[in-house]
Amino acid sequence: MSTPSEQSVRVFADPEALAEGAAVEVRRAAREAMEERGVCSLVLAGGSTPRRLYRKLAEEPCRSEIDWSAIRVFFGDERSVPPDDPASNYAMARATLLSRVPIEERNVHRIAGELKPGRAAIRYEEELRRATGAELPRFDLVVLGMGTDGHTASLFPGTPKLLDEERLAIATVSPCPPRDRVTLTLRALNAARGVMFLVQGAEKSHVLGEVLAAGAADPASRLPAASVRPKDGELLWLVDRAAAPASWDCRTASDSL
Ligand code: 6PG
């Protein structure tokens, strides 16, 4: 299997280089959004991979380069736990980024993990529409991770309503604890101007190869990450060399710099 088209997949030597490359993309998206619309909607991912990126965004030069007053932060998904719970994606983003940059609380739109997931999904959907003024928001940049089963956000293989054409956010159940989740739907993700996957580690190499080889006809429920294809937006995969399938003829992005 040849390496997918260069412009969509970038391979970095290690997690540190990947985080640096991701920070470049966040800065670019923020700059372009602010030039064109005066505001940038940034959707944060949970899990462990984005932590390094979030710390970089909170440090110089990113901290000063980004006009945080124009950034509107949203979340791709959340676990149904209180916002100060160690398992909370909001808590992780707050600790690594949001508490360390001059962003106003009212511009951070978390998912209410303390509520029952169905209620939290409806509440989040209402807030998304109110905060963006759009029935179907077009996020400027969505940061996503991917699990070894091909899930992304909290869209897991077999998730009902994965392809819901009305909802922006739904309640789902994870095979791993915390089980109750709230997640953006594929409809919301695929309306974005840009989606950036961050994938690292050898344990993801096999599924990454499957996801990037999956065709548009592949059932979304089998590999949800493969169904993230922005209808009118950019899709970027930033991966480290350990996650790159062995069959790829990999020059790393840093090689090409
Ligand atoms: C979550 C994330 C989830 C995550 C993947 C990858 O709530 O955990 O939204 O989709 O991005 O599971 O997680 P790692 O980055 O920890 O491998």
Side-chain angles (χ1 to χ4, degrees), residues 9-30:
V9 181
R10 289 183 208 151
V11 181
F12 294 86
D14 53 40
E16 178 60 24
L18 191 158
E20 191 57 46
V24 168
E25 288 307 320
V26 172
R27 297 201 311 259
R28 176 176 68 90

Side-chain angles (χ1 to χ4, degrees), residues 45-50 77 79 89 144-147 151-154 181 204:
S48 55
T49 301
D77 72 323
R79 293 86 178 273
N89 288 337
L144 289 173
M146 183 181 69
H151 83 259
T152 189
S154 282
R181 308 282 183 103
K204 304 218 178 145

